[in-house]
Structures are given as structure tokens and as C-alpha cells.
Amino acid sequence: MDRTLESLRHIIAQALPHRDPALVFKDLNVVSMLQEFWESKQQQQRTTFSSEGLVVYESMPSSGPPFVSYVTLPGGSCFGNFQCCLSRAEARRDAAKVALINSLFNELPSRRITKEFIMESVQEAVASTSGTLDDADDPSTSVGAYHYMLESNMGKTMLEFQELMTIFQLLHWNGSLKALRETKCSRQEVISYYSQYSLDEKMRSHMALDWIMKERESPGILSQELRAALGQLEEARKSGQELRFYKEKKEILSLALIQIYSDPDPSSPSDDQLSLTALCGYH
């Protein structure tokens, strides 16, 4: 624990050289510190993040307390305030503090995917699935697919890996992975295909359309799923978890409901949307 704290102080000193590591999380100006941290990372990596802004805040509409605020980091990781906040400014600061803590911890060496980490993770996956270590070398198994994903992301941080995992979590929740298996596409091909894409408006629209089709088959399922998603998002936020999976579910389901009410008979997917046909062509 002492070594971790010392590593964390070292990271703070590098990323935020003008700040006192002992006072970083007590500073009320944590919003500017989070921005400063990601600006520093951008300069160090010589990369350009989204033009929408390095750090994006979103306050939920509310006529009074408690207020809720979300912050999305470059790459898509999302965090929210976990305390009961009596003002929007307080909620924004609390969300920024959670995001800053996670951003700093993400820089620790132990948060990068290494051969040792992959070995430990695969062993844990085998234990949780009652499989064998031989499954790790078979990409047709769930453990093998997980092993392949980890190997493909060697050197990345946990937050970077989680951004990719969120896409596959949504595809599993959406039913797309099951549909892809029925087309005889291998897990490796599915992973390679979707690893090329980011979670953008096009992918959200495609998933929303899938849920519109589900609503036609089972009326009421959209509202049921949305209620569940809102509950999951609230629970995860209050426990300080990374929120993108839950928040994306809410956004996709809300988009589907809006489309249903604005157009009772939505048209079929356009040619430029992500589709199973595209992947089958790749296959």
C-alpha cells in the first residue's frame, strides 16, 4: 500500500508539477486539475483528443437537490458524483474528483496489461467458468476470446481496455454477439472487426434500431429495459464505478423510445450503418 501511494505521488508530481500531492484531492479546484492532467497527457503523448473537448461534463436536469453530474474523459470513460450534492457545482466537483482519482491510478504500472497480468486474468477467468487452461489457447471459447483480447491490447491501461470492453458488453446486451455466432463468424473475427470501431452515434443508432425491432416483437420491453438501466446506472454511480456501459445503455434505449414516438414506423437501416452483413462480408 505504501509503495502504491508513493507511486501515486510520483505520478501527481509528473502530471501536475505545480500541485502539492498531499493536497490534490482536498483542493476545491479539482475541475481545473482534471483538465490540467489530461492536457499534460496530451502533450506527453503528442496526441490530439476529440475536438469536443478533453473533459466533458453533463449535469442531469433537476429542479432541486440532490444533483447529479457526469464527466467523460478522452476515450470515453465516464464517472459521476457518488455523494449527495446540494448544488450543481458541488456535483460537478465530486464527479471531477472521482475521475481524477481514477485517471491517476490508471497511470500506475500495475494498471497496464502485461504478460503477468494476462496470465493472472486468464487463470481467474478459468476459475470463474469452471474451464481449463487449455481453453485459453482456443479462441472459440469465451476464455480463449478473452485471452485474445488481452493479448491484442498488450501495453494498454485498464481504462483503455475498458473502452473496448464496453463495446462488447453492449453487443452482448444487445443480442448482436449471439446473432454473429449464428452466422458462423469466429470470435477472433468478431473481435478484430469491432476493435476497429469506436462507440459513436452510428453504432448507437444501429443498436437503438435493434431495440425498436425488439419492442415490436415484445411491446413494453423498451420501458422495462430503460428502468433497469437507470437503476444500474444509479447504483454504479453511487459506488464510484466507471459508468460508460450503464450510461450508454440508457442513451441507446432513450434514443429508441424517441424514434418510436417521433416515427411509429421507422425505416430499415441505411446502407452506411454497421450491420451483420458487413461483418459477414469480412468473414
Side-chain angles (χ1 to χ4, degrees):
M1 184 65 175
D2 290 340
R3 185 176 299 174
T4 299
L5 289 174
E6 184 59 35
S7 297
L8 193 57
R9 291 191 187 99
H10 179 68
I11 291 168
I12 294 172
Q14 284 186 318
L16 303 169
H18 306 299
R19 307 284 184 174
D20 183 347
L23 301 176
V24 162
F25 301 120
K26 298 178 181 179
D27 195 324
L28 290 179
N29 206 16
V30 68
V31 171
S32 68
M33 280 193 288
L34 181 62
Q35 180 74 19
E36 184 182 334
F37 172 84
W38 282 99
E39 286 176 353
S40 174
K41 274 190 67 68
Q42 185 180 40
Q43 293 171 0
Q44 291 171 9
Q45 297 176 353
R46 297 182 180 179
T47 55
T48 303
F49 295 114
S50 170
S51 59
E52 294 180 359
L54 283 177
V55 179
V56 179
Y57 292 89
E58 179 184 2
S59 294
M60 293 295 96
S62 177
S63 58
F67 292 97
V68 174
S69 181
Y70 298 107
V71 55
T72 301
L73 305 176
S77 296
C78 179
F79 299 94
N81 61 296
F82 69 92
Q83 298 189 68
C84 180
C85 298
L86 302 181
S87 70
R88 287 185 175 85
E90 183 185 358
R92 182 182 173 106
R93 285 195 300 270
D94 195 50
K97 183 181 294 185
V98 175
L100 181 59
I101 291 172
N102 279 274
S103 296
L104 290 168
F105 268 96
N106 193 55
E107 297 298 305
L108 293 172
S110 60
R111 301 292 292 171
R112 287 197 176 272
I113 297 176
T114 62
K115 289 183 179 180
E116 292 76 14
F117 175 84
I118 291 175
M119 186 179 300
E120 292 176 5
S121 298
V122 168
Q123 289 173 345
E124 290 176 3
V126 168
S128 65
T129 59
S130 300
T132 67
L133 282 175
D134 291 337
D135 293 338
D137 297 321
D138 182 0
S140 67
T141 66
S142 58
V143 173
Y146 180 54
H147 185 205
Y148 176 75
M149 287 185 70
L150 287 170
E151 290 279 0
S152 301
N153 289 272
M154 181 80 75
K156 290 189 176 180
T157 66
M158 290 296 100
L159 282 184
E160 289 171 332
F161 183 62
Q162 181 59 43
E163 290 158 13
L164 175 62
M165 284 296 293
T166 297
I167 293 178
F168 289 96
Q169 284 179 292
L170 289 169
L171 290 171
H172 175 71
W173 162 72
N174 201 47
S176 297
L177 289 184
K178 181 180 179 182
L180 289 169
R181 283 197 294 270
E182 294 172 355
T183 67
K184 307 302 181 183
C185 291
S186 71
R187 281 185 167 94
Q188 278 182 310
E189 288 170 328
V190 173
I191 292 169
S192 297
Y193 180 79
Y194 278 102
S195 294
Q196 304 172 50
Y197 292 93
S198 60
L199 190 48
D200 55 14
E201 290 303 320
K202 182 183 289 187
M203 188 176 287
R204 291 186 192 96
S205 296
H206 180 73
M207 290 188 179
L209 186 61
D210 286 341
W211 281 100
I212 291 174
M213 298 301 108
K214 293 177 191 291
E215 178 70 14
R216 286 179 171 178
E217 297 171 0
S218 304
I221 192 172
L222 259 180
S223 298
Q224 179 181 336
E225 281 288 327
L226 182 57
R227 282 195 297 270
L230 290 171
Q232 292 165 357
L233 177 60
E234 181 79 356
E235 183 178 348
R237 179 182 63 79
K238 288 181 177 179
S239 61
Q241 296 180 39
E242 200 279 322
L243 304 174
R244 192 176 191 190
F245 172 56
Y246 308 105
K247 194 165 181 293
E248 290 289 351
K249 285 172 67 174
K250 185 201 80 167
E251 298 295 338
I252 290 165
L253 295 167
S254 299
L255 178 60
L257 282 172
I258 290 171
Q259 291 181 359
I260 285 176
Y261 284 110
S262 62
D263 184 359
D265 185 22
S267 59
S268 59
S270 59
D271 291 338
D272 65 344
Q273 284 184 307
L274 295 174
S275 63
L276 298 183
T277 305
L279 182 52
C280 290
Y282 170 82
H283 175 62

